[in-house]
Amino acid sequence: MSLLTGPGREHLNGHKDETLHNDIVLVKPKKEVFVPLNNGSSTKVDVYVNEGDKVFVGTLLARRNDHFNVPIYSPVSGVVGAKKNMMHSVLKPQEHLIIEDDGKYEKVESFKPLDYTTATHDELVNFMMEAGIVGCGGAGFPSYLKYKKPENINTLIINAVECEPYITADYRFTKESLEDTVLGVKALLKMSTAPKAIVAIKKTKKELIAQLKEAFKTESNIQVFETPDVYPMGWERTLVYEYCKKRYNRLPSEIGIIVNNITTAIAFARSLKYGEGIVEKVVTFSGDGLKNPTNVRVPYGTKVSEVVAQIGGYSSEDVLVIAGGPMMGKTIPTDEFVITNYTNAITILKNNPVEAMECMRCGRCNDACPAGLLPVRINNAEKMKDINWMTQLRADQCIECGLCTYVCPSKIDVTEGVRRAKRALALKKG
Ligand code: SF4
Ligand code: SF4
């Protein structure tokens, strides 16, 4: 059965003004970075450096070498330290490689830059793989796989929707990188083999829409597509449906579409121009648990605690630290974890525990679910540990958007119950 795009779409209070209008602030680690060698799903990582080795920004440190091929480049210059197991934003401890930062940021070219206009399709795909370009919108999926064998692709969708509350990193980064945006989108369009691309962005972002239209005005095959200001419009399925009113089973390529985040296009442009991988990230640090919500540009591998300290600290002693946005992010029980090369947001909220009440069977969570699921029933099945019922209710199709919790008048954390059900099904599958 295909995963339906359910009716659920909500206009949420965006809380974006807290960071939308301010420039990105540069933050550097104080002493060391911790380079994640695993993102929770890698099964084989080859490390090429040893303790004591001198490295530069861009030195190849390691390579994920299982079913994916993803090189890992150093975000700072300095000396390789030990390996350390520490908390990761996937909410599991993972192995990290310590690099003692010498503060000089001396760079090496990680690979030769490439002129995409003369490169062949295969050269571009190999280049993207060597550059280690991953989905920068928070997913971290290796991008080259989307372009490896494009067949009958009719549209490339560049996702600039950024629909979760608080997050403005894509907006600010794109505003400050329009030239790279154009280069990246044109290069991705060539790789996709599609005749046209659209840049999808919420209609409320008037200023950036005008800048993008101006930037692409000579490109007749690249259009700006304005979407409604609802959540989860940035979810691939919702966005694809909004654009062409079509649904798919597993991948949008089944209906001739490839989707990539706009900051992935910018990262790709930088790799083409400068021969560099993703060694730093623009990340929104926002939420009422921070004194000064800020968009930061930071070498990946920097600890969240260090960034928070450098932008002014917490506004409360009791905060929730969320890797990602408040709807889809994961609450991490510590701030001693690092920015990865695909982190787009850290949300810090004051911890105001609310007492959940009895379910009043209002059905709002069911109405809100964009994946067409019945979250309240999945929650009940999970409470009863009834795996068959969880399977019938397709708990594995939950995208963890958080809407069922958001709309619940009884303040029940429905999403958490569905997440547990999803994990139970994944464990059963093995
Ligand atoms: S978190 Fe899952 S179950 Fe809840 S509304 Fe989102 S997709 Fe549906
Ligand atoms: S929204 Fe909350 S109260 Fe209403 S049915 Fe769902 S879980 Fe129950």
Side-chain angles (χ1 to χ4, degrees):
M1 183 176 180
S2 81
L3 174 62
L4 299 175
T5 304
R9 288 148 54 119
E10 295 275 329
H11 174 72
L12 307 181
N13 180 356
H15 294 282
K16 303 231 183 203
D17 277 344
E18 288 140 38
T19 52
L20 196 73
H21 308 291
N22 301 329
D23 290 343
I24 298 165
V25 170
L26 185 63
V27 169
K28 289 183 175 166
K30 281 212 175 98
K31 196 166 141 266
E32 57 205 355
V33 290
F34 301 82
V35 173
L37 292 175
N38 197 323
N39 63 5
S41 59
S42 324
T43 52
K44 185 168 177 279
V45 178
D46 300 326
V47 180
Y48 303 129
V49 290
N50 297 305
E51 209 169 329
D53 284 358
K54 167 86 183 145
V55 292
F56 301 92
V57 178
T59 299
L60 180 64
L61 300 174
R63 184 182 293 273
R64 180 176 177 182
N65 213 353
D66 44 17
H67 41 293
F68 298 137
N69 185 329
V70 187
I72 299 172
Y73 297 107
S74 180
V76 296
S77 57
V79 177
V80 177
K83 288 181 192 153
K84 185 182 179 188
N85 251 340
M86 58 189 279
M87 182 53 84
H88 188 285
S89 56
V90 294
L91 199 47
K92 282 190 260 181
Q94 301 291 328
E95 195 167 61
H96 292 62
L97 183 65
I98 301 174
I99 311 286
E100 307 289 343
D101 179 9
D102 62 13
K104 295 180 184 160
Y105 292 87
E106 291 175 287
K107 284 188 180 183
V108 285
E109 207 176 70
S110 300
F111 38 83
K112 286 270 159 260
L114 185 70
D115 177 357
Y116 87 91
T117 60
T118 53
T120 65
H121 176 267
D122 287 358
E123 280 168 349
L124 281 164
V125 171
N126 278 333
F127 180 89
M128 183 178 245
M129 185 177 74
E130 268 317 302
I133 302 297
V134 292
C136 293
F141 187 73
S143 299
Y144 72 91
L145 292 160
K146 296 188 180 191
Y147 297 91
K148 223 171 164 185
K149 285 190 185 136
E151 271 176 30
N152 303 320
I153 301 298
N154 58 60
T155 313
L156 168 70
I157 299 183
I158 299 295
N159 187 349
V161 175
E162 201 168 47
C163 62
E164 270 208 77
Y166 292 102
I167 309 178
T168 60
D170 288 6
Y171 178 87
R172 289 299 332 170
F173 193 31
T174 306
K175 262 179 103 52
E176 295 180 20
S177 320
L178 284 168
E179 208 179 289
D180 288 342
T181 305
V182 174
L183 172 61
V185 174
K186 284 166 74 175
L188 292 182
L189 182 56
K190 177 171 177 180
M191 285 171 76
S192 73
T193 69
K196 63 178 186 297
I198 59 152
V199 181
I201 179 166
K202 273 194 208 165
K203 64 180 178 193
T204 46
K205 292 180 177 163
K206 299 275 181 236
E207 207 177 301
L208 185 53
I209 288 171
Q211 287 175 309
L212 287 168
K213 282 185 174 166
E214 176 64 23
F216 286 109
K217 71 177 179 205
T218 54
E219 311 299 328
S220 57
N221 55 351
I222 302 174
Q223 301 291 323
V224 175
F225 176 72
E226 298 180 34
T227 72
D229 181 11
V230 289
Y231 177 83
M233 185 46 70
W235 179 37
E236 207 163 83
R237 286 178 191 276
T238 314
L239 181 55
V240 168
Y241 189 76
E242 181 67 26
Y243 171 64
C244 64
K245 302 290 179 274
K246 285 188 187 158
R247 297 183 171 116
Y248 53 90
N249 278 321
R250 284 183 57 248
L251 297 169
S253 55
E254 292 159 20
I255 53 167
I257 287 176
I258 294 177
V259 185
N260 245 158
N261 186 271
I262 195 155
T263 53
T264 311
I266 298 171
F268 188 46
R270 293 189 61 83
S271 69
L272 291 163
K273 266 163 80 174
Y274 306 118
E276 67 176 35
I278 306 170
V279 289
E280 59 176 23
K281 271 296 288 169
V282 173
V283 183
T284 301
F285 274 71
S286 192
D288 64 2
L290 284 172
K291 283 189 186 152
N292 302 312
T294 308
N295 275 309
V296 300
R297 183 192 295 269
V298 62
Y300 87 93
T302 305
K303 277 188 189 170
V304 167
S305 57
E306 280 191 25
V307 179
V308 171
Q310 289 188 47
I311 61 171
Y314 296 114
S315 62
S316 162
E317 284 186 5
D318 188 8
V319 293
L320 293 176
V321 180
I322 302 166
M327 303 297 288
M328 295 187 105
K330 287 193 169 73
T331 303
I332 311 288
T334 171
D335 56 8
E336 295 293 298
F337 65 98
V338 302
I339 303 300
T340 66
N341 61 0
Y342 55 91
T343 304
N344 63 345
I346 300 291
T347 310
I348 314 275
L349 299 176
K350 284 182 184 162
N351 190 10
N352 300 319
V354 280
E355 192 120 349
M357 292 173 283
E358 283 286 301
C359 170
M360 55 178 85
R361 299 201 174 99
C362 65
R364 278 195 215 171
C365 54
N366 299 339
D367 295 341
C369 179
L373 305 177
L374 300 172
V376 62
R377 291 206 197 160
I378 297 175
N379 226 6
N380 291 340
E382 197 280 327
K383 274 190 210 143
M384 294 167 72
K385 306 293 171 215
D386 188 333
I387 286 278
N388 286 338
W389 196 14
M390 289 182 234
T391 309
Q392 280 166 22
L393 291 167
R394 300 184 296 126
D396 60 326
Q397 310 269 297
C398 167
I399 58 159
E400 303 185 23
C401 71
L403 269 183
C404 46
T405 295
Y406 180 81
V407 298
C408 177
S410 295
K411 308 287 176 216
I412 298 167
D413 192 350
V414 196
T415 307
E416 193 44 44
V418 182
R419 243 186 223 135
R420 280 198 298 269
K422 196 176 156 185
R423 277 200 295 268
L425 292 189
L427 280 173
K428 186 187 153 222
K429 222 168 148 194

